[in-house]
Amino acid sequence: MTDTVAVADWQAWQRSWDRQQEWYLPDREDRFRVMLDTVEAVVGPEPRILDLACGTGSISDRALRRFPGATSTGVDLDPALLTIARGHFAAEPRAEFVTADLRDPGWTERLPHRAYDAVLTATALHWLRSDELRVLYGQVAGVVREGGVFLNADHMPDPETPRLNAAAHAYQKARQARARAEGTQDWADWWRTAARDEVLAGPVAERFSIFGNPAEGDHADGETQPVAWHAGALRAAGFGEARAVWCSPSDAMVLGLK
């Protein structure tokens, strides 16, 4: 009798992650496009990229497809998402992944390079408190080369537009309800599916031990700030220029230029 070894379809898991994220972010591809347009405009078509809080490597995936001469280092703490990323990019020599906690003061020491042309992140840093994010921005400034760029696309609601915020929130909830009725998975559903997978069950259990179970809520410590706060924090961290380069009613992308 021959033993059967479980093999994951990493590309399918990557697509599944993208679909789940798009339930929350219908303009996700648009922000990625603007992000990579900005990278090319500032540092050219062969960037050395640091994919910060990379998850499954969504930014790296799009960057390496767009820029044949690019390389990418993904850094994250989540063992389940990194398992998918490493599987998805197993045959891609331009991509490498590092396990590190961005709250660890020494996380940059784990990186394979001392400087990067572009540090990119999307929908991840809202997990941090504002004081932690200020510290992280200072650390990021230390790994972006002179003339390089940092881009952070995330939830950045503006408290000065409460009626618009309420309307956008109501529209988002209605759109999500329609998608759910059609079978789209949300965050908690996706993790329950991953936990039942023979290959991912172990990394998912480890992930739950670090971050908690999504069904019980695991964003409790994070904070969101408006664009002006991020731009000010980036300038204070050592970036010469900082401003928004893309926005929606609830999200924005801020740029820091060394």
Side-chain angles (χ1 to χ4, degrees):
M1 183 175 179
T2 302
D3 291 338
T4 300
V5 177
V7 177
D9 184 341
W10 299 118
Q11 284 66 41
W13 277 110
Q14 183 74 267
R15 291 191 297 270
S16 172
W17 175 260
D18 283 343
R19 286 195 300 272
Q20 177 260 127
Q21 288 288 286
E22 287 163 1
W23 185 72
Y24 297 95
L25 308 165
D27 50 19
R28 187 168 179 253
E29 293 301 326
D30 186 49
R31 69 186 71 191
F32 286 154
R33 178 189 59 78
V34 173
M35 177 179 283
L36 298 182
D37 284 350
T38 305
V39 168
E40 184 170 4
V42 176
V43 301
E46 298 184 355
R48 175 186 288 172
I49 293 169
L50 177 61
D51 187 351
L52 196 67
C54 65
T56 65
S58 296
I59 291 175
S60 294
D61 185 54
R62 287 152 181 80
L64 296 181
R65 282 191 275 121
R66 172 161 171 169
F67 303 127
T71 60
S72 181
T73 302
V75 59
D76 208 300
L77 182 60
D78 191 313
L81 299 185
L82 282 174
T83 296
I84 295 172
R86 290 181 172 120
H88 178 68
F89 291 93
E92 175 52 84
R94 296 177 297 155
E96 56 190 328
F97 294 91
V98 174
T99 299
D101 186 347
L102 297 182
R103 292 186 175 98
D104 179 351
W107 70 268
T108 59
E109 298 170 9
R110 303 179 67 88
L111 300 176
H113 305 290
R114 296 188 63 181
Y116 290 83
D117 300 308
V119 178
L120 311 177
T121 187
T123 328
L125 301 188
H126 63 274
W127 283 56
L128 300 176
R129 298 193 307 273
S130 298
D131 57 338
E132 294 173 327
L133 188 54
R134 285 187 184 278
V135 171
L136 181 65
Y137 279 170
Q139 295 168 323
V140 168
V143 298
V144 176
R145 69 161 173 84
E146 289 299 316
V149 66
F150 169 65
L151 289 158
N152 175 20
D154 209 341
H155 308 315
M156 300 181 190
D158 189 337
E160 297 184 5
T161 58
R163 289 183 296 163
L164 174 60
N165 297 347
H169 179 74
Y171 176 80
Q172 171 86 328
K173 290 300 182 184
R175 182 192 61 78
Q176 289 178 336
R178 292 193 298 270
R180 286 282 283 155
E182 296 170 359
T184 302
Q185 289 184 317
D186 67 5
W187 173 260
D189 286 339
W190 190 90
W191 281 107
R192 279 191 286 267
T193 301
R196 294 192 296 267
D197 183 79
E198 187 175 358
V199 178
L200 281 177
V204 169
E206 185 181 354
R207 191 258 183 214
F208 288 177
S209 72
I210 297 171
F211 297 105
N213 189 325
E216 300 169 0
D218 56 1
H219 285 68
D221 291 339
E223 296 176 317
T224 59
Q225 296 287 357
V227 168
W229 183 95
H230 288 273
L234 288 170
R235 293 190 191 97
F239 288 91
E241 298 179 16
R243 70 171 177 88
V245 292
W246 174 91
C247 72
S248 73
S250 60
D251 289 17
M253 179 158 53
V254 292
L255 169 150
L257 181 63
K258 280 291 289 290

